[in-house]
Amino acid sequence: MGIPVISIRQHGNRNDSAHLCGYDAAYKLFAPYPEALESDSIPFWVREKTIYVSGFSRYSGRILSKSQAREKLRINKQQKVVLVLKGKGGDNHCLETISQAALSTPEWQWLIVGPIQVNYNKLPKNITCRGWQEDTFPYLKAADVVIASAGHNTTMEIAEAQVPFLCIPEERPFDEQKVKAKLLEKMGLCLYSNSFPTSYSVRNYLELLMQMDVSKWEGIVSLDGAKQAGIAIESEAFKIQNYL
């Protein structure tokens, strides 16, 4: 129809002919993340026509301290807390695997938020299953460490909360989550693992995560990320109108 298109970009190995053809046909491309999170494998001409903005999430601009979050969730302020954040996209983090990690770290309280089959007979005392939560921000802010996938929304919400992140990417087409996770690790924003920590490795992971500099997330997200996106897209629309 000859209508100019701004196509939304995602991470992953997308240098196949179909993606490149789509990028070439688009008037502009839009990435809901800063150029610092761009993969080195992306061709220069794709970068050149991409509109990059600061990351943003549904929690952008929300203020909640760790003590406030813990008071809300009735968690002791001195307790060390691991949050396992599970989405609806599916993963391999079964309760038995998480339980084994929890058993080897009795000084940590493990919170599981998201859908999970609670069918493990001997659930350790330091695990609490909170189920599906519409508002995960208090859990993120209450946690000392979060274990989650590399889905874009999840990543941006963790960025907003600025909590040490153990990233276990899920299998997705074009290795979308694996590519993002490796970029995040390279920038010092997470630790990358292909699988859930074992009872032998989990303590080392937790110790390393507690040493992470979470202030680095400030270069990835901003309060006005969504506003930046709106202004940039609107600006392109005005440019197009001048040629009509």
Side-chain angles (χ1 to χ4, degrees), residues 16-229:
D16 55 284
S17 59
H19 273 95
L20 293 180
C21 182
Y23 295 159
D24 186 45
Y27 162 70
K28 287 283 186 177
L29 305 170
F30 172 75
Y33 50 83
E35 193 169 3
L37 269 183
E38 186 62 278
S39 173
D40 292 337
S41 66
I42 299 300
F44 173 75
W45 66 267
V46 174
R47 289 172 176 254
E48 196 173 35
K49 69 187 300 185
T50 297
I51 301 166
Y52 295 96
V53 299
S54 297
F56 55 91
S57 77
R58 57 181 172 152
Y59 300 141
S60 292
R62 187 168 171 183
I63 298 174
L64 185 69
S65 68
K66 177 179 282 191
S67 60
Q68 289 172 332
R70 291 200 170 191
E71 183 177 355
K72 179 181 178 69
L73 300 176
R74 298 180 181 179
I75 298 173
N76 188 295
K77 292 182 179 180
Q78 307 304 317
Q79 178 66 58
K80 293 193 287 186
V81 176
V82 182
L83 171 65
V84 181
L85 193 60
K86 297 167 61 65
K88 292 182 178 179
D91 57 44
N92 297 318
H93 310 160
C94 70
L95 192 55
E96 183 174 359
T97 302
I98 300 171
S99 294
Q100 290 171 356
L103 279 170
S104 64
T105 54
E107 73 277 22
W108 285 79
Q109 178 65 38
W110 289 67
L111 297 180
I112 304 175
V113 170
I116 193 166
Q117 294 294 325
V118 185
N119 56 4
Y120 191 55
N121 293 329
K122 298 180 181 179
L123 196 64
K125 293 181 179 179
N126 61 330
I127 284 185
T128 302
C129 297
R130 295 294 179 99
W132 182 260
Q133 299 290 326
E134 292 296 331
D135 183 8
T136 58
F137 195 63
Y139 293 91
L140 286 167
K141 293 298 292 185
D144 294 296
V145 167
V146 61
I147 301 176
S149 70
H152 184 73
N153 289 334
T154 297
T155 299
M156 292 300 107
E157 289 169 10
I158 291 170
E160 187 65 35
Q162 293 194 16
V163 56
F165 180 21
L166 174 58
C167 185
I168 307 176
E170 297 173 14
E171 293 293 334
R172 292 292 184 270
F174 308 103
D175 287 334
E176 176 191 336
Q177 291 202 11
K178 290 181 179 179
V179 168
K180 182 189 268 92
K182 288 177 181 177
L183 285 168
L184 293 172
E185 183 177 56
K186 184 178 179 181
M187 296 179 69
L189 297 169
C190 80
L191 291 183
Y192 177 109
S193 179
N194 284 316
S195 59
F196 203 87
T198 65
S199 57
Y200 300 102
S201 65
V202 64
R203 187 176 297 280
N204 184 53
Y205 271 117
L206 294 176
E207 290 175 358
L208 290 172
L209 286 162
M210 291 295 284
Q211 298 172 27
M212 291 189 72
D213 179 7
V214 294
S215 67
K216 291 181 179 180
W217 283 115
E218 293 173 5
I220 303 300
V221 294
S222 70
L223 296 177
D224 66 342
K227 185 177 181 180
Q228 289 178 32

